[in-house]
Amino acid sequence: MSLKTLVVDDHEAARLGLMELLVGTAVSVAKTVADGESALRYLDEDKCDVVLIDVQMKKMDGLTLLTSIRQAHPNLPVVLISAYDYPVYLARAVANGAHDYVLKSDSAGQIEQTLSHACESGSSYPGGRLDNVKKKMSETIRSNQLPPELPVTSREAQVLRHIAFGLSNREIAKSLGISVETVKEHVQNILRKTGASDRTDVAVRAVRLGLVD
């Protein structure tokens, strides 16, 4: 089965490179565009099986485009691609509804496998980069297993882990299925209980104490 794919990347060399790389696979690049606005126009006028979006783009970054696609096309498989597998990119991809995440250094077979699985199952590839981070973000944290430097509840610990991953209050709310106001309350409680000066301070502490490992 051929996967009709829209590729979004603001570098022409990257678009052409992906087209060449995927020749002979089940991935059929139906269209390549250089920015998010062009991608949204294409999706309004035509159909595709999956969208492959570069994370770092100048005019509209990939995560912003992902959010727009989720609003207009909630069930359309979207996979992000980047030169980097930074934890913050992966965590934000999870929170904003990406199906999966691949690297530009991945093989044609790996990209084909990831896109195919996203289309067939509507989820991330088991044991892959995004899948591992998704499991970490949804994992229950028992307060009695936390170090004494983090005297927070189980739910606050989950929020703290999301803060350490670099997520905004809105993204944390989406990831945990709670309201933004509830997230704000948790953040204030976390700062008060830990004595941290701000969310950057408490995020550094959480990383140092192994909350995102």
Side-chain angles (χ1 to χ4, degrees):
M1 177 180 125
S2 179
L3 300 176
K4 187 178 179 183
T5 305
L6 170 64
V7 172
V8 189
D9 196 306
D10 60 356
H11 290 96
E12 183 179 9
R15 297 194 302 273
L16 293 174
L18 274 170
M19 288 181 66
E20 183 175 348
L21 177 68
L22 295 170
V23 169
T25 70
V27 181
S28 172
V29 178
K31 179 76 173 178
T32 68
V33 295
D35 58 77
E37 291 180 0
S38 299
L40 292 171
R41 280 197 302 271
Y42 175 83
L43 292 174
D44 284 340
E45 298 168 359
D46 208 336
K47 291 183 179 181
C48 65
D49 297 311
V50 61
V51 186
L52 185 61
I53 305 173
D54 182 30
V55 174
Q56 293 179 301
M57 296 189 292
K58 294 178 181 178
K59 195 171 181 181
M60 179 192 294
D61 68 66
L63 290 160
T64 301
L65 175 57
L66 168 62
T67 301
S68 296
I69 292 175
R70 277 290 147 264
Q71 292 171 349
H73 309 277
N75 298 316
L76 179 63
V78 177
V79 174
L80 296 182
I81 185 168
S82 175
Y84 312 101
D85 59 352
Y86 295 147
V88 64
Y89 285 178
L90 287 157
R92 292 190 66 202
V94 171
N96 286 288
H99 282 67
D100 220 320
Y101 190 105
V102 294
L103 293 181
K104 292 185 176 181
S105 58
D106 284 344
S107 68
Q110 287 173 305
I111 295 174
E112 176 186 23
Q113 184 179 56
T114 301
L115 296 182
S116 296
H117 189 272
C119 290
E120 292 168 4
S121 69
S123 63
S124 53
Y125 193 81
R129 297 180 189 91
L130 194 82
D131 192 59
N132 289 335
V133 171
K134 184 187 294 184
K135 288 177 180 175
K136 192 73 175 177
M137 289 168 66
S138 63
E139 185 179 80
T140 300
I141 305 171
R142 294 183 180 179
S143 57
N144 61 5
Q145 295 178 336
L146 293 168
E149 296 92 336
L150 299 176
V152 297
T153 67
S154 178
R155 185 55 136 179
E156 289 164 355
Q158 273 192 313
V159 172
L160 178 52
R161 174 176 282 165
H162 282 64
I163 293 172
F165 269 124
L167 272 64
S168 67
N169 287 348
R170 182 186 62 79
E171 289 170 332
I172 295 171
K174 287 170 66 175
S175 176
L176 295 177
I178 57 181
S179 71
V180 174
E181 290 305 314
T182 299
V183 173
K184 289 179 180 179
E185 290 178 13
H186 285 315
V187 172
Q188 290 304 313
N189 288 336
I190 291 166
L191 295 178
R192 176 176 53 81
K193 291 179 178 180
T194 60
S197 57
D198 54 31
R199 61 194 296 144
T200 300
D201 181 18
V202 80
V204 170
R205 297 187 194 189
V207 171
R208 188 178 68 244
L209 293 167
L211 204 60
V212 298
D213 290 341

